Amino acid sequence: MSESDGGKSEFDGRSEGTERVPGRRRTRFPGISSRAYEHPADRSALVALRRLSGFDTVFKALSGLLPERSLRLLFLSDSVRVSDQQFPHLHEMLRDACHILDLERVPPMYVNQDPQPNAMCIGLDEPIIVVTTGLVELLDEEEMRAVIGHETGHALSGHAVYRTILLFLTSLATRVAWIPLGNMAVLAIVTALREWFRKSELSADRAGLLAGQDLQASMRGLMKLAGGNHLHEMNVDAFLEQADEYEAAGDLRDSVLKILNVLPRTHPFATVRAAELRKWGTSREFQRIMEGHYPRRDEDKETPVGESFRQSAAAYASDVRSSKDPLMKLVSDLAGGAGDLGGKVRDRFTGGRGRPGPDDGPEDAPGGRGEPGPEAG
């Protein structure tokens, strides 16, 4: 990350790939693909969603029926559109975020009167960003910059379409609740959409960190969403300790309760988001992006789908192995036990020679005498 130069939020036009903002410079990412910051669980959940029976039919139908023009007119008529004349500081943050993440077109942004802190990116043809007055009043400048980067990341990833459908279907589910089968069909899709929605928030949190490039501010904003504007009474490190305690606490009953608690939510819990973001923000993956090593948008079409599947599977396996959650530890133990059982069965039918020993010859060990084969390790 570049050092502070005390400059103002003005792009200096040099070819360093950096941009002047209050107090320091931020690195810019020309041509960055959303694959650079998308959480593997986000991609996996989206694949599962698209495979859900009936989803394609519903998606195509709603894409033509949703009153998007009405939605845009609603915000235009009953919210304040951000510009260089209205909420100019938010307008500058939005322009900065789009410039840093190299979004070709700056989406319209509105401030909506609502004391509940919230922000969203919706729209089918073109994304619209909406932030509430509660959020604007809650966050400081750097925290707000991360939130606007978060919503810009949703726009770059193309999340707005599915988020709009979720909002519509959630409303529809309440209207058809009296029709048992109809309600069940809608709720199945809503549940799958919510699962993806929660994972997409982890991706957007990463985009917000790339836009703001201040990990403490990003986590501070999440802490404020949980505890309000009493920053002098809170501590980020103590807040992150809650996340560790939440993950490790209890027994299998608590693991089930965690699942039940999160099912009706559209967002992951704030402590979980903060812990996930800290993990990524201190990783080598994040550092490589900051150094300019990231997938480009013009390479997206050439990227095989199988690669995303492998990355997602590897990430899930790693999460299960490292998780302190009792249920995840049980899954890991059962998987390990299954592996041991498989080894015993294999040894039974191979005379105890399932793995090459130090005296095995080339026929027994693909790696040659004394060298481990592909199964070793």
Side-chain angles (χ1 to χ4, degrees):
M1 190 177 297
S2 304
E3 295 180 355
S4 171
D5 65 355
K8 296 182 179 180
S9 180
E10 296 175 357
F11 182 60
D12 60 9
R14 292 186 288 183
S15 59
E16 299 172 331
T18 57
E19 182 177 10
R20 292 183 184 274
V21 294
R24 61 192 174 91
R25 293 184 178 183
R26 285 179 174 80
T27 302
R28 184 172 179 256
F29 309 102
I32 190 171
S33 167
S34 60
R35 290 182 291 117
Y37 59 81
E38 283 174 345
H39 195 284
D42 175 8
R43 292 195 291 267
S44 295
L46 192 56
V47 169
L49 174 66
R50 288 168 175 163
R51 289 182 176 177
L52 185 67
S53 177
F55 177 75
D56 284 342
T57 303
V58 172
F59 178 78
K60 291 176 182 177
L62 291 181
S63 295
L65 294 176
L66 283 177
E68 185 171 11
R69 286 186 70 88
S70 174
L71 193 65
R72 292 178 182 277
L73 289 172
L74 178 63
F75 287 116
L76 187 63
S77 63
D78 205 32
S79 301
V80 175
R81 183 166 58 192
V82 172
S83 67
D84 55 0
Q85 296 176 313
Q86 300 187 119
F87 291 100
H89 70 294
L90 297 181
H91 183 61
E92 187 62 30
M93 289 182 198
L94 177 61
R95 288 171 56 86
D96 284 349
C98 291
H99 185 67
I100 290 170
L101 296 178
D102 200 16
L103 199 65
E104 295 180 359
R105 186 171 181 177
V106 179
M109 179 173 169
Y110 294 90
V111 175
N112 183 46
Q113 171 62 29
D114 187 342
Q116 182 71 27
N118 197 11
M120 60 182 175
C121 179
I122 56 175
L124 297 177
D125 297 327
E126 295 179 2
I128 303 172
I129 295 176
V130 181
V131 296
T132 65
T133 51
L135 189 69
V136 174
E137 293 165 3
L138 176 66
L139 304 181
D140 67 25
E141 183 172 346
E142 292 302 303
E143 296 157 5
M144 194 69 198
R145 191 181 295 276
V147 168
I148 292 177
H150 172 112
E151 299 304 328
T152 303
H154 278 311
L156 181 58
S157 291
H159 289 161
V161 173
Y162 297 101
R163 291 161 68 89
T164 305
I165 290 177
L166 175 59
L167 289 173
F168 179 80
L169 286 178
T170 303
S171 173
L172 181 63
T174 60
R175 298 176 188 175
V176 298
W178 60 277
I179 308 176
L181 293 180
N183 188 42
M184 288 175 61
V186 173
L187 284 180
I189 297 178
V190 167
T191 301
L193 271 168
R194 279 181 177 156
E195 170 61 15
W196 163 77
F197 197 112
R198 289 189 292 269
K199 305 306 183 187
S200 75
E201 288 299 305
L202 301 179
S203 296
D205 284 343
R206 294 178 173 189
L209 180 57
L210 289 175
Q213 296 171 26
D214 186 337
L215 181 57
Q216 285 295 313
S218 292
M219 292 191 296
R220 204 168 58 235
L222 290 169
M223 184 175 65
K224 282 186 174 181
L225 287 175
N229 194 22
H230 299 280
L231 193 57
H232 64 288
E233 297 282 355
M234 297 184 289
N235 179 278
V236 170
D237 292 333
F239 185 65
L240 290 169
E241 288 176 5
Q242 290 181 223
D244 295 335
E245 183 179 344
Y246 172 78
E247 183 182 5
D251 53 22
L252 290 178
R253 292 171 297 180
D254 294 298
S255 297
V256 173
L257 289 174
K258 291 176 187 178
I259 295 172
L260 294 176
N261 284 341
V262 81
L263 277 178
R265 295 174 59 91
T266 56
H267 289 62
F269 294 115
T271 56
V272 175
R273 292 173 65 184
E276 282 281 342
L277 191 59
R278 174 187 58 176
K279 180 180 176 182
W280 189 72
T282 56
S283 69
R284 179 58 184 157
E285 180 184 353
F286 174 75
Q287 190 59 43
R288 282 184 56 80
I289 296 175
M290 294 301 298
E291 293 169 356
H293 305 292
Y294 53 83
R296 261 65 175 181
R297 226 168 290 163
D298 54 12
E299 302 168 350
D300 285 350
K301 293 182 179 179
E302 301 173 4
T303 304
V305 177
E307 181 179 333
S308 295
F309 291 159
R310 285 192 294 272
Q311 291 175 352
S312 299
Y316 271 121
S318 176
D319 288 345
V320 169
R321 285 194 301 269
S322 62
S323 177
K324 300 175 184 177
D325 182 85
L327 181 59
M328 291 299 100
K329 289 178 68 176
L330 176 62
V331 170
S332 180
D333 291 344
L334 288 175
D340 292 341
L341 178 61
K344 292 175 182 178
V345 172
R346 177 188 59 210
D347 291 348
R348 176 68 180 270
F349 286 94
T350 58
R353 297 174 61 85
R355 289 183 182 270
D359 297 327
D360 288 338
E363 292 183 0
D364 295 308
R369 182 178 297 274
E371 296 180 5
E375 291 184 346

